[in-house]
Amino acid sequence: MSTGITMASMSTYAILGCGSVGYAVAEELADEGKDVLIIDADDGRVEALRDQDLNAKTADIADEEVPEAVEDRDVVLILSTDIEANQAAVERIRDRGDDQFVVARASDPVTADELREAGADAVINPSQVIADAALRALETGELEHKAGQLADVIDATESKLAILAHDNPGPDSIASAVALRAIAEARGIEADILYDGEIGHQEDRAFVNLIGVELLARDEVDFEGYDTLALVDHARSMEREIERPVDVLIDHNEPDGDYEAAFTDVRSNVSSTSTILTKYVQEFDLGLDDTVATALLYGIRAETLDFKRDTTPADLTAASYLYPFADHDTLEQVESPSMSPETLDVLAEAIRNREVRGSHLVSNAGFIHDRDALSQAAQHLLNLEGVTTTAVFAIDDERITLSARSKDIRLNIRNILEDAFEDIGEAVGHSTDATVTIPLGIFTGIETSDDNRETLLKLTEEAVRRKLFTAMGVDENGS
């Protein structure tokens, strides 16, 4: 029969050194009804503690007899300001061979290491604890302040808010826009999510369809008819200029343009804009429905490659908050979309034309209509045994499109593409996945026509392979 008694409720404690930190701990334990013994060298302090009905004794904590005095205690907290005395106490307690949990106070990282080596199970640095608490309070206060500023801008909307995602929007941008729209609508403001380009990736199309998000093409609406404009996750993927004032800018990358927005929150210390929007969802105490939660969780997972790329504690904390509210059946469907016939054809062509040097694979997929198929082919080829880096290119209309992936932590694949094609194309992406688009005529010096496309493909193939392998630092022998 259970008595409901836990190990924690049975613990007895000794506090060696009862300055301000020791006293705060003793008082908290006593309030919880714990059995606490205090040992301190100051007679006056011990007497004052006894006057408060605390069990206190006078002794130098470094004395040889102290370990015997606390041998019946489950937990020993050594909290004096004399770090040398603390180390001596730890060593004497461990010399007895008693199985006690010992917590010791340090003054800096060096003394913390010394106390651990002496046998302390846990080490605390009060200065660091105070600093951490101050930073948490600052973060909380700053978020509250920023949320108030964001609310003021949203509330000032007279007709409608336009939330502009980045060009050819991906999960992080879409999810962030969905969350900001939910915040606006909770405040009685109507909002639309707009985008330029196309939603090309199969997973992204499945994502939009499954969570029922309505996205509007920017060219199909009266863009000037919105009196408030917000950019979310927009910094590094804008081909068309925005020729009107921006009111809200939220991103995890520094913007390329100079926006004088009424509200700006750019945090390059997190890996996704969805992480930032999750913090605002919490701060606004938004009733979190499964659509918003699922979108934000997928946005974080997609941007961090399921927490395998550049993940920060803030990303993990946000994902942990969202997890119970998300629709995991929907997430599973989004992450396992069916493969289109063209994607299958592109993958087959890329497999046939692959060239592998060492652990690096480069392949030509021929002519394509769906650029997204290239990224999927590059990802699939990364699963080949011994391959750590892939690059798949093809001719798409009058340009060469190349998609690359890498799981080699020594490589930054975006930098590789920039080095290979810096004069003729602009690379976009991350250290583990990136894309570059090159005008075909610039690359070959020959005007494109229906009659010479095959010739251009052959000329292109040799040049692209050579540039890529050179930028990757591998020769014909794969070394």
Side-chain angles (χ1 to χ4, degrees), residues 400-420:
I400 301 163
T401 300
L402 185 149
S403 183
R405 297 288 186 273
S406 181
K407 56 186 178 183
D408 186 341
I409 61 174
R410 298 167 299 177
L411 279 183
N412 183 313
I413 197 62
R414 178 175 175 175
N415 291 346
I416 293 292
L417 297 189
E418 288 176 344
D419 291 343

Side-chain angles (χ1 to χ4, degrees), residues 152-174:
D152 289 342
V153 176
I154 291 174
D155 293 347
T157 302
E158 294 182 1
S159 59
K160 211 170 187 181
L161 166 67
I163 304 171
L164 185 59
H166 71 53
D167 297 357
N168 311 310
D172 188 30
S173 192
I174 295 169

Side-chain angles (χ1 to χ4, degrees), residues 22-59:
Y23 178 74
V25 174
E27 190 174 41
E28 185 70 25
L29 291 172
D31 287 345
E32 294 178 9
K34 306 295 187 182
D35 181 0
V36 183
L37 168 64
I38 301 170
I39 295 179
D40 193 275
D42 189 316
D43 287 326
R45 185 178 296 158
V46 169
E47 191 63 34
L49 291 168
R50 288 173 178 169
D51 289 342
Q52 297 178 57
D53 294 327
L54 293 170
N55 180 14
K57 295 180 180 180
T58 303

Side-chain angles (χ1 to χ4, degrees), residues 329-359:
D329 290 337
T330 296
L331 281 174
E332 185 175 353
Q333 293 179 66
V334 169
E335 292 168 344
S336 303
S338 57
M339 184 178 290
S340 70
E342 181 175 0
T343 300
L344 190 60
D345 290 341
V346 169
L347 178 58
E349 190 72 10
I351 291 172
R352 279 194 297 271
N353 295 330
R354 72 189 185 278
E355 179 179 351
V356 180
R357 297 185 186 178
S359 62

Side-chain angles (χ1 to χ4, degrees), residues 18-205:
C18 197
S20 58
V21 174
Y23 178 74
V25 174
E27 190 174 41
E28 185 70 25
L29 291 172
D31 287 345
E32 294 178 9
K34 306 295 187 182
D35 181 0
V36 183
L37 168 64
I38 301 170
I39 295 179
D40 193 275
D42 189 316
D43 287 326
R45 185 178 296 158
V46 169
E47 191 63 34
L49 291 168
R50 288 173 178 169
D51 289 342
Q52 297 178 57
D53 294 327
L54 293 170
N55 180 14
K57 295 180 180 180
T58 303
D60 186 334
I61 66 169
D63 286 349
E64 293 182 2
E65 65 270 13
V66 168
E68 185 175 350
V70 299
E71 65 179 344
D72 62 335
R73 300 284 150 167
D74 300 310
V75 181
V76 180
L77 299 104
I78 306 172
L79 304 176
S80 109
T81 56
D82 185 343
I83 306 304
E84 291 184 2
N86 291 353
Q87 184 166 345
V90 172
E91 291 171 349
R92 293 189 189 283
I93 289 170
R94 288 305 182 214
D95 286 344
R96 285 180 57 86
D98 295 335
D99 186 20
Q100 296 168 299
F101 188 81
V102 176
V103 179
R105 173 177 177 169
S107 58
D108 52 51
V110 173
T111 57
D113 289 341
E114 292 172 349
L115 287 164
R116 291 189 187 94
E117 290 175 5
D121 296 293
V123 177
I124 61 169
N125 182 347
S127 298
Q128 187 62 53
V129 171
I130 292 169
D132 290 344
L135 289 172
R136 285 195 298 272
L138 175 63
E139 182 180 1
T140 301
E142 186 177 14
L143 180 60
E144 182 178 352
H145 177 68
K146 296 289 285 185
Q149 291 181 321
L150 177 58
D152 289 342
V153 176
I154 291 174
D155 293 347
T157 302
E158 294 182 1
S159 59
K160 211 170 187 181
L161 166 67
I163 304 171
L164 185 59
H166 71 53
D167 297 357
N168 311 310
D172 188 30
S173 192
I174 295 169
S176 301
V178 168
L180 184 58
R181 183 176 67 179
I183 291 171
E185 291 180 346
R187 306 188 69 81
I189 302 299
E190 189 177 355
D192 287 335
I193 301 173
L194 311 180
Y195 70 98
D196 283 316
E198 59 186 24
I199 303 172
H201 199 290
Q202 283 180 274
E203 283 190 14
D204 298 344
R205 293 196 295 269

